Amino acid sequence: MMQVLTMMNLGKSHTSSTAVRALLLLALALANFQTACSELFTALADMEELMETEVVLMTNLEKYIRVQEDKLELLRRKYAEYQREHAEAAKDVSAYLSNPVNAFLLTKRLTTDWREVENLMSYDVGADFLENVTNYRDVLKFPSDEDLNGAAVALMRLQDTYKLNTASVARGELNGVQYRTEMSAGDCFEVGRQTYLNGDYYHTMLWMREAMNRLSQEVNRTTTKADVLEYLAFSTFKEGNMQTALLMTNELLELVPNHERAIGNKAYYEKELAKEANQKALRGDDGSEDVPVDTTTQIRTDMGPNAYDTSERKLYEQLCRGEANRTVAYLSKLTCRYVTNNSAFLKLAPLKLEEAHLKPYIVIYHDVMSDQEIEVMKRLAKPRFRRATVQNYKTGELEVANYRISKSAWLKDEEHPYIRAIGQRVEDMTGLSMLTAEELQVVNYGIGGHYEPHFDFARREEKNAFKSLGTGNRIATVLFYMSDVTQGGATVFPSIRTALWPKKGTAAFWYNLHASGNGDYATRHAACPVLTGTKWVSNKWIHERGQEFRRPCELQPDHPEEF
């Protein structure tokens, strides 16, 4: 068994057709010049720079094609010249060669002239252009293999969360909206290959099947049926369907009879199926009660205290899709109004408040950030973007995690008057002191960017959280939406079935802690994957220290007894 699995290590080099190799020569060369700027897929702001890279490479490739065409045109002229002379000579070879001029010219053509042709044929016109790519290394961003894999994983996340049909995605339809982009069989094959490398055989099957369907519709193919069958057969086996895997392997061997891995796998499948048939015969089992294989995606179980179970995952995804709505009776209790929050400034310019939930109390403030402020914050944040981190619940250290895909930067009040003004605005909105608040964090989400269900506050078992700050726990969160999002990207609270949809210039506010200081577990929330569009947010985390007289404890504990 281990030998078969080793032989099926398809993550190594993949054989393409000669024509495809020729077309991709330049692209393959670029792989040697990738810069160290990985994780481009984690922020769309970084992905935008790849468009500039592509423009430069397209210009370079266009020049290469033009020079290559000039070379071919010169060779065609030489060929036509030789053909004319040869045709003339062939009419009467003796008469032609009896002319000393003709004899000289024939000799010249096969010596001096032919050497020039040989030199022209052997001259590699692509070398200069590849050297240009080397020079671009320090000024342009190139995506890495990690970016390609991350983009594929993001696509699978979107497919699962929003229940997207594979064929629909391939033809450019996302959640009922048709876009111009359509994927080829080769594109689908590459998605399947990336999921295979991650051990995600369920999605490999989906995308390899779509690649197979599209192969029959395409003339200029960049992959072959044998390529697809190799991955599809083994993934089918890994998903528990050995009989179908054997049929696919036999089909592959019909196309490529000497396929080494397929030969080994065929022998293994036949041996295992024969053994299984013998065991059933001994038990008197006719196979009528076979339990179908569960090919659903697996729920994450390795996230520590932030881990969520199947029911929460289901509710989280329903909210992301705009489902699991609250009753009309509950929504009728929510109000919208102007508020001053006992602020002298707000008496002149009251805030527009919309209640999103009553307990815990979650509100949305409208028109609290201007377009000009947003552009300044984006400009300040972009140069210092780093992969967004989470806090390790055991050590308190910050680390990157696959369940948070975005990039962020921290802005200090003294960096710009707008940043300082936003801090004051948060104080007016919340009535809380900003003296112990964290810096303003600006976040841009990448391809399928998301942040799975989590708490903003530290729970009792997280002893080291915020210890270095010395300002206590995170008492409240203010989340500014700095962009509209075309599809997806909601902030959802699964336990209270509440979804906040991004609207540029608005801000959400909620308390993470009860007045008693205990964590409010109903504030567990998530950032849904961005399906289309770009999502920019900024947030201010406010801490306990300094709020003693602004939000004092009540006479009776206001937190549930179980906590």
Side-chain angles (χ1 to χ4, degrees), residues 308-319 321:
Y308 52 96
D309 59 22
T310 305
S311 59
E312 185 186 36
R313 174 63 179 245
K314 182 178 180 181
L315 192 54
Y316 154 65
E317 293 183 347
Q318 286 176 338
L319 288 167
R321 296 192 296 268

Side-chain angles (χ1 to χ4, degrees), residues 433-497:
S433 171
M434 294 296 107
L435 294 178
T436 57
E438 296 178 40
E439 296 169 0
L440 185 70
Q441 181 182 217
V442 178
V443 181
N444 180 224
Y445 287 84
I447 306 173
H450 73 138
Y451 191 178
E452 291 181 355
H454 62 281
F455 301 101
D456 280 353
F457 64 89
R459 291 160 302 290
R460 279 195 292 266
E461 63 270 20
E462 299 177 287
K463 304 295 184 183
N464 296 312
F466 315 128
K467 185 176 181 180
S468 61
L469 298 178
T471 54
N473 211 341
R474 286 174 175 165
I475 190 174
T477 296
V478 175
L479 177 64
F480 289 94
Y481 294 106
M482 298 165 57
S483 66
D484 297 315
V485 179
T486 309
Q487 288 183 286
T491 305
V492 299
F493 298 76
S495 67
I496 56 176
R497 296 173 176 261

Side-chain angles (χ1 to χ4, degrees), residues 8 20 39 105 109 146 207 210 234 251 264 279 300 306 310-311 332 348 381 385 395 425 436 446 475 541 544:
M8 277 300 298
V20 173
E39 296 186 340
L105 291 176
R109 285 199 302 274
E146 180 186 356
W207 284 91
E210 182 60 27
F234 190 70
E251 188 177 356
Q279 291 174 347
R300 182 184 301 277
N306 276 344
T310 305
S311 59
S332 66
L348 297 174
F385 264 159
T395 65
R425 197 170 306 149
T436 57
I475 190 174
W541 280 311
E544 290 178 290

